[in-house]
Amino acid sequence: MSGSPPEPNAVGEAGEANIEYRVAHLRDRLAAEELGELGVRAEVRAGAVVVSGTVPSAQCRETVLRTVGEELAGLSVHTDVVVAETATPDHAEELP
């Protein structure tokens, strides 16, 4: 029958495919644009997108978070992007 609603799994799969497409586009932007951030990962977990990794500066982190917001607007997103510690050590490392 042409007026029947779609199967529930078909709707879920289509929605998940759309999320995967948007995440792939985000990965492309992170790798190709001014950021060149290959150390940041984005993956779909339980219907939400998890963005994690380490960046070299606070400015880079802000740019990554802005890009994530632009690409994944309207989706549930969890971010764990940290800034690498680049300060010189204040003492010598002691090896056993």
Side-chain angles (χ1 to χ4, degrees):
M1 186 175 217
S2 64
S4 62
E7 294 289 324
N9 288 342
V11 172
E13 290 171 7
E16 188 169 323
N18 183 37
I19 293 172
E20 290 289 347
Y21 173 81
R22 291 174 68 184
V23 168
H25 193 258
L26 171 66
R27 289 181 190 131
D28 290 345
R29 276 191 68 186
L30 291 175
E33 291 186 2
E34 76 228 30
L35 294 172
E37 278 306 319
L38 298 175
V40 176
R41 295 175 307 282
E43 52 194 12
V44 179
R45 292 185 192 162
V49 181
V50 177
V51 180
S52 61
T54 304
V55 294
S57 69
Q59 180 181 4
C60 186
R61 181 180 186 275
E62 292 303 316
T63 302
V64 166
L65 295 179
R66 185 181 67 247
T67 303
V68 168
E70 291 169 1
E71 289 296 325
L72 304 179
L75 297 178
S76 176
V77 179
H78 303 282
T79 58
D80 184 21
V81 178
V82 296
V83 177
E85 181 62 48
T86 57
T88 57
D90 60 353
H91 62 283
E93 179 179 1
E94 293 183 29
L95 299 175

